[in-house]
Amino acid sequence: MESDPNIVLDWNAYSIAAKGFTSAGSTEKALEMLKKSEGLILTSKRRSMAFDFLLTQYATTGMKDEVLRLWEVHKKSEKLYNKSYISMITSLLNLDDLEEAEKIFEEWDSSELFYDFRVPKFLIGAYCRKGHMEKAEALVNRARMKGGKPLPLTWYYLASGYINVNQIPKAIEALKVGVSAFEPGWKPSGPILVACLEYLKEKGDVDEAEEFLRLLLAKHIISIGVHDKLSSYMKNADLISQASRLMEEDAIGGDGEATEDTEPKKMGDFVGDSEIKECRN
């Protein structure tokens, strides 16, 4: 294509080639394509989008220095919007650099941009994956005080984090809020549901267990048949194995990810391409 005088390559063409080389494990070739792509950004009418995309591409190659360098170029070349901060924060989280991601978040938080809860959501997810639940809670409260409304997936992140640190009562409450906020048909992780149900069984709180099961039924997370069986299994000593089997039969067993504001797939399956694409929109 480069040798054809009738074809004019833009930044996107080279970025696509870079993605292909990265997938094939040819990092050196990928970086070569990214450099060519970067050289064409300023001639593009969609410069902001181009910078955001290349940030994530450099992160995929594992080149943190390049991510930080391009971010500085981006700041000097274009006005930054929420989607730019999302691209930068998710890139750093995919590089497992939580400290640098926190710095970028603080930079965003001190800006005068519209408070988009997707920005803190990514950081909350990272805190939950690492077991930093106090930090996660503090960030949720801080965001709410500024007028931000937690997204449904935020509550699911919190529930997952609470399960990991054995704070099951908090996990149940967070999951209730998340399930209530999601559109019907969303499926949380089977193991998380089983952990919550097992806790309620051991606690002996039949009313709370029934309330929880009715919520799952109302949101079409479980079928009426599974609801009835789980209700009876709440009195069964072998709840975990029975519930796990029923969850599998009812097609509940994914990672609980959703497409509502979609967000990292590496590092604990929280930031994926679908989320980054959505953020760019």
Side-chain angles (χ1 to χ4, degrees):
M1 293 172 68
E2 286 179 325
S3 63
D4 190 331
N6 297 314
I7 298 177
V8 179
L9 294 176
D10 61 6
W11 70 269
N12 194 41
Y14 284 111
S15 69
I16 292 171
K19 187 172 183 179
F21 281 124
T22 300
S23 298
S26 301
T27 303
E28 187 175 336
K29 282 284 189 180
L31 289 173
E32 180 184 339
M33 295 297 105
L34 287 174
K35 291 295 184 182
K36 289 186 176 183
S37 179
E38 187 179 336
L40 296 171
I41 287 180
L42 296 181
T43 61
S44 170
K45 294 181 179 180
R46 307 172 72 184
R47 289 191 292 272
S48 183
M49 176 183 176
F51 274 114
D52 295 343
F53 189 75
L54 290 190
L55 282 171
T56 62
Q57 285 285 290
Y58 273 123
T60 302
T61 66
M63 306 296 290
K64 185 174 73 173
D65 289 345
E66 291 296 320
V67 172
L68 296 174
R69 179 193 60 77
L70 186 61
W71 178 247
E72 292 302 318
V73 174
H74 190 3
K75 289 195 293 185
K76 294 175 182 178
S77 305
E78 294 290 315
K79 180 180 178 180
L80 298 180
Y81 295 96
N82 287 328
K83 61 182 180 179
S84 298
Y85 283 101
I86 290 172
S87 296
M88 184 57 176
I89 289 173
T90 55
S91 294
L92 291 169
L93 291 178
N94 278 330
L95 289 165
D96 202 19
D97 192 339
L98 182 57
E99 183 177 350
E100 196 65 43
E102 289 175 326
K103 292 179 183 178
I104 300 300
F105 172 79
E106 292 298 338
E107 184 180 312
W108 169 80
D109 197 43
S110 63
S111 71
E112 297 181 354
L113 293 172
F114 168 76
Y115 205 95
D116 185 342
F117 205 96
R118 290 179 302 172
V119 183
K121 184 198 70 171
F122 288 101
L123 206 51
I124 292 166
Y127 288 147
C128 291
R129 292 194 301 278
K130 292 179 177 293
H132 303 328
M133 298 312 297
E134 290 186 1
K135 279 190 169 186
E137 291 170 349
L139 188 49
V140 170
N141 292 331
R142 175 178 169 182
R144 295 175 82 174
M145 288 179 65
K146 290 200 170 188
K149 182 180 179 181
L151 298 164
L153 198 58
T154 305
W155 298 107
Y156 180 74
Y157 288 172
L158 289 169
S160 302
Y162 287 134
I163 292 287
N164 290 335
V165 297
N166 202 32
Q167 295 182 21
I168 313 301
K170 285 188 173 183
I172 293 172
E173 292 308 309
L175 192 57
K176 283 180 181 179
V177 177
V179 168
S180 298
F182 271 115
E183 293 295 322
W186 170 73
K187 300 285 187 178
S189 164
I192 286 180
L193 289 180
V194 171
C196 293
L197 290 170
E198 177 65 11
Y199 172 82
L200 292 173
K201 181 185 77 69
E202 292 178 355
K203 185 182 176 184
D205 194 332
V206 177
D207 291 338
E208 186 177 358
E210 279 298 329
E211 178 189 350
F212 187 55
L213 289 173
R214 282 195 297 270
L215 176 60
L216 298 180
L217 177 62
K219 286 293 185 173
H220 307 298
I221 291 173
I222 58 175
S223 65
I224 189 167
V226 169
H227 170 274
D228 294 343
K229 289 179 181 178
L230 286 175
S231 294
S232 66
Y233 288 155
M234 293 306 291
K235 304 181 183 67
N236 190 309
D238 194 22
L239 172 69
I240 291 182
S241 63
Q242 296 282 14
S244 297
R245 179 180 58 79
L246 285 172
M247 295 298 179
E248 291 178 3
E249 292 177 359
D250 217 29
I252 301 175
D255 59 9
E257 288 298 307
T259 57
E260 42 98 358
D261 51 306
T262 355
E263 254 111 237
K265 284 282 182 198
K266 300 296 180 185
M267 292 170 39
D269 287 344
F270 277 96
V271 182
D273 285 345
S274 60
E275 300 204 35
I276 294 171
K277 288 175 184 175
E278 178 67 20
C279 291
R280 289 198 202 100
N281 295 333

